[in-house]
Amino acid sequence: MKTIRPRPISTLLVMVLLSFSVVLALVLAVFSLQVHWQSERMQAHVESALFESIQAELQATYGVIEPVLESRRQAFLKVHQAVLTHAEAVSGPPDIEALQRMAEDLSGVPTDIYLINPELQVIETTYPPDQDLDFSHPGLFDGRYMIERAHQENDIVVSAPVLEMVSREFRIYSYSPLGDSGYTLELGFVSPMLDHFFQNVQQRLSDRQIFQANLHFLMWDDWLLSLTPDRSEGDDKAALLEEHYQAQQTKIEHLRAAKERDEPVRILDSESGSARHYIHLMDIPTEETWDISVMAAVEVQIDAVQQTRQGMTYAASLAFGIILLLSCVVFLIARKALANPLAQAAADIEAWRPVRLKGLGRYVSELQLLTSHFNSMLSSAHSRIQGLGQQARTDSLTGLANRASIESELAVEIQRSERYGHPLSVILMDLDHFKRINDHHGHLAGDEVLQKVAKTLTKRARRVDTVGRWGGEEFVIICRDTELKDATQLAESLREDIGDQCACTASFGVVDYQADDTLHNLFHRADEALYVAKSNGRNQVSASPRPA
């Protein structure tokens, strides 16, 4: 009969230790998966918060300068008309350098001239990189479209702001037929204001420590340009077209998908091996069927998933070596001290709340840095959005309410008058011969006059009245609870004050709100009253009640 010998105590101890090791491994594996999942979730929310803050900041800031760009496009249209008239009046080939000087004098910005033959080739230009440029290239279909449209309509057409490929300056191009032989006159106006705007945005993005971001522009869904040119590219635009047009198509397909889904797309850089997130920030609208999309290539510098995993590995190794038998207790404590704070931090980031680390998370330097940057970014984003909202309602030169703010307030007052029957009057003022001040003394002197007039109007008007700049040298005063005769007396006092204090004169049109008046009708009557004051010799007040 086989005798069953008892196992030595050492063997039992080893089996117990192995069993505890297996149990501990399973517990730690579950814990690792949970912490890893929470870390990935936190990383995803951090990236989403970063991308949304960049997008909101750019859109809010661009909304302030967009009306100014529209006014500049109208000014460039007039400059092109003047240059075209001069070019057609000269017998023989036009002198493009003389046309350039004329265009720059009229527009006040650097301008280049292009002569394009019927075969869509640039035969002469003041911008050397575009000499002999062929608009039949697939990458230049936008310019070819504008040329064809100008000839079809036999008129001047103006493009949206375009990022020039070699200089990486924003330009606004205008096109028109030149004579009847199929030639085209093109003007390229540099837009320093737009360059300054996007360079400032790029600088602010470059100053961030938590991520690196570079602005890119997806032109017409077919061409991708970064704001900063590659030093190795050179100035040969034709070579750039041939080298990069086909090479970019794969990346552009990903960017089109990101734009259509309005979600970040992750692309692995084949040269550096690093992953970048391309996000769609906003569109610069055009009059055509395509837009120019502003994209950002973002590389997040702090990987919360990797850093949390390293910290967890060190803590688990220490716990396994020191307190093996108390692994379950260690698991519960670690879960409460680390995983739960990570989950709470991820929830705070998802809800755009300041993150406050608790438990052991307070002693992880990477998480402290990540939390500090996120809280700082969140506070900065709120402050900038509030400041941009104020800028969007205020005229930057005079500090008065701008046109959009005036229209909004007057619409509310019209509804109030309709509902309660309170009187409401509007004063429309225009400075007399203001162009002479700019022509004789310069625009800085004109700006000083506008600022003095704004202070005079604000000082004389009541606190309940709203004083705003309507545009150019025109100002508007909304007189709440004021009859027409009282508003007329106020306008007369303002006229005298301006004449005494501002070294200029002004004409006034005064109207009061009548039943069924709309915002448009009210300003139309005020403009007619102002026209009467101008026609009668200026420097006077004309009150115009609504005709029966």
Side-chain angles (χ1 to χ4, degrees), residues 284-301:
I284 300 178
T286 68
E287 297 179 355
E288 315 304 334
T289 57
W290 61 80
D291 291 329
I292 299 173
S293 299
V294 183
M295 315 289 289
V298 182
E299 293 184 19
V300 179
Q301 302 298 310

Side-chain angles (χ1 to χ4, degrees), residues 377-391:
M377 178 198 67
L378 185 63
S379 176
S380 176
H382 286 319
S383 299
R384 288 179 179 174
I385 290 174
Q386 291 176 357
L388 291 173
Q390 179 64 25
Q391 291 178 14

